[in-house]
Amino acid sequence: MTTGMKVAFVILHYLNFEETKACIDSIAALPTYGADVAIVVVDNGSGNGSYERLLELPEHPCVHFLHNERNLGFANGMNTGYRYAREELGACVIALMNNDLVVEQRDFIEQLEMVVSLG
């Protein structure tokens, strides 16, 4: 399926650089099947330097970084990323993810598009 659909993955980051990096890398490595894919990383007020380490990663055009000055909790932290994905990026499919998740299913984006097309 090659729809050109805008898909955003919102990752809530808190304290753990390695887990968040692994999550970003797993999504960035997925075949897009023609989708326009964005990754939104929301730092939830980490304060331990892990967010700054993420900002030092090699630049990738599909990764957007947002920073909450304080920990807003899970739901409000995710809402920050969701609003950005919907309002700023125009995503019509938004997957909310914990930073400790690694996507191993190679056709994950294609499956998301199929679910949306079934409506």
Side-chain angles (χ1 to χ4, degrees):
M1 180 175 293
T2 56
T3 63
M5 184 178 297
K6 182 72 174 194
V7 176
F9 292 86
V10 175
I11 303 168
L12 188 61
H13 169 73
Y14 186 66
L15 300 178
N16 196 316
F17 169 81
E18 287 78 15
E19 286 183 348
T20 302
K21 181 182 180 312
C23 184
I24 294 168
D25 290 345
S26 73
I27 296 166
L30 293 173
T32 64
Y33 299 97
D36 182 6
V37 176
I39 301 170
V40 179
V41 178
V42 180
D43 175 61
N44 213 11
S46 293
N48 69 343
S50 60
Y51 175 67
E52 291 75 14
R53 286 182 66 197
L54 289 170
L55 294 176
E56 293 172 359
L57 291 173
E59 190 172 323
H60 196 289
C62 77
V63 181
H64 305 258
F65 291 99
L66 306 176
H67 175 68
N68 293 328
E69 290 296 323
R70 61 184 178 81
N71 188 328
L72 302 178
F74 181 81
N76 286 323
M78 281 296 192
N79 284 340
T80 299
Y82 181 87
R83 277 191 299 273
Y84 181 85
R86 187 188 68 215
E87 296 169 9
E88 300 298 322
L89 301 179
C92 59
V93 178
I94 302 171
L96 304 176
M97 309 175 79
N98 254 356
N99 67 327
D100 61 352
L101 181 75
V102 173
V103 181
E104 295 178 347
Q105 183 178 341
R106 299 295 299 156
D107 66 342
F108 190 77
I109 293 171
E110 183 179 42
Q111 294 299 317
L112 285 175
E113 288 185 313
M114 287 176 58
V115 168
V116 170
S117 69
L118 293 174

